[in-house]
Amino acid sequence: MPKLDRDGVKLYYEVHGEGPALILTHGYSATSAMWEGQVAPLSEHFKLITWDMRGHGQSDYPEDQAAYSEAATVADMAALLDAAGARDAIVGGLSLGGYMSLAFHRAHPDRTRALLIIDTGPGYKNDQARDGWNANAIARAERFEAEGFGDLSRASAEVRLARHRDASGLARAARGMLTQRDARVIESLPAIQVPAVVIVGADDTPFLAASDYMAAKIPGAKKVVIPGAGHSANLDQPQAFNAALLGFLKDAGLTR
């Protein structure tokens, strides 16, 4: 599979199928392998792009902490669309990938045809709440630095599925990409003018309120709760997830 050189940082990505472009971004400490169950159904209708974020999976793990940021991730996504010959795309992701999809839309609304926001949150308006999130992200980085991967047996399914060369990239990604600097993403929700779906597992307790909030703030957004699913709804209940996703895309007139 190809790799895209981004100023010396090589990004692993895959392209499946033909049609309108659709890019899916994985969650923090997961990889593109989490989307394996979506490749066949989505590639029947779309040019599906999956990839490993910097510091993850088969992409490079740059040693410079400054190479990891929300802005760099959004720029990576735009460069991947360019590499796939796509002027615009349906943009989606899970957890950190969902947040980065919202950040991509904020930076590139003209390149976003629709949004697929899965088991995630939009960030925080409240500085104290954001500081709490960031403290947890830094603690995760410190654990990876001190212990390596540690015991992932209790992690959610997409993390257990992932394979990384070492934990250094995850530590730097936590510091630079998982932490949040401001409220620009959450404040952008009312300005979204493309079709959007918010999907959440019924048992993904930490993100239920955030999903309600996004569905209420994004004009015309559709919300889907997947029964019997936790934080990785696409892995926990793949048939229900795929049906919900394709149903939304069909109703929005986005399938070919």
Side-chain angles (χ1 to χ4, degrees):
M1 292 296 178
K3 287 192 175 183
L4 174 65
D5 192 324
R6 292 272 298 131
D7 299 323
V9 178
K10 292 183 175 60
L11 302 176
Y12 175 86
Y13 72 103
E14 300 180 6
V15 179
H16 302 271
E18 294 294 336
L22 191 162
I23 183 169
L24 289 176
T25 301
H26 61 79
Y28 172 72
S29 70
T31 68
S32 55
M34 68 166 291
W35 302 116
E36 184 176 343
Q38 282 66 60
V39 169
L42 289 178
S43 62
E44 290 183 17
H45 305 277
F46 303 98
K47 177 185 283 188
L48 174 64
I49 304 159
T50 63
W51 67 297
D52 290 350
M53 287 190 282
R54 51 182 64 206
H56 292 72
Q58 298 180 69
S59 289
D60 281 356
Y61 304 7
E63 294 183 3
D64 183 2
Q65 180 61 60
Y68 299 80
S69 67
E70 177 184 313
T73 307
V74 168
D76 288 344
M77 294 164 71
L80 286 163
L81 295 188
D82 292 341
R87 190 196 73 80
D88 54 24
I90 299 159
V91 180
L94 179 138
S95 200
L96 178 59
Y99 176 87
M100 291 298 183
S101 297
L102 291 170
F104 180 90
H105 173 270
R106 192 191 69 80
H108 302 289
D110 58 320
R111 301 196 72 175
T112 308
R113 296 188 66 198
L115 284 165
L116 316 174
I117 309 303
I118 307 157
D119 289 298
T120 193
Y124 302 90
K125 289 185 176 180
N126 181 280
D127 291 343
Q128 186 175 0
R130 189 184 311 110
D131 288 345
W133 172 272
N134 289 346
N136 286 331
I138 297 300
R140 294 178 78 172
E142 291 173 344
R143 283 196 300 272
F144 279 126
E145 289 163 346
E147 304 170 13
F149 294 120
D151 181 11
L152 297 177
S153 63
R154 298 178 63 184
S156 55
E158 82 281 7
V159 175
R160 297 196 307 272
L161 189 65
R163 297 292 178 267
H164 310 281
R165 290 192 295 279
D166 59 62
S168 66
L170 299 183
R172 289 188 283 270
R175 293 182 182 278
M177 294 155 57
L178 194 58
T179 55
Q180 299 173 8
R181 303 291 186 267
D182 52 52
R184 289 184 297 176
V185 169
I186 191 170
E187 290 174 349
S188 74
L189 299 181
I192 293 174
Q193 297 181 6
V194 297
V197 63
V198 178
I199 301 177
V200 66
D203 301 326
D204 192 8
T205 306
F207 290 96
L208 294 178
S211 297
D212 288 340
Y213 182 91
M214 290 186 292
K217 289 293 184 180
I218 299 173
K222 180 180 181 182
K223 181 188 169 194
V224 179
V225 178
I226 306 294
H231 188 56
S232 45
N234 68 306
L235 290 167
D236 295 339
Q237 297 292 341
Q239 290 184 323
F241 177 87
N242 291 343
L245 201 59
L246 285 168
F248 162 76
L249 293 166
K250 182 178 180 180
D251 290 346
L254 295 167
T255 54
R256 59 172 182 156

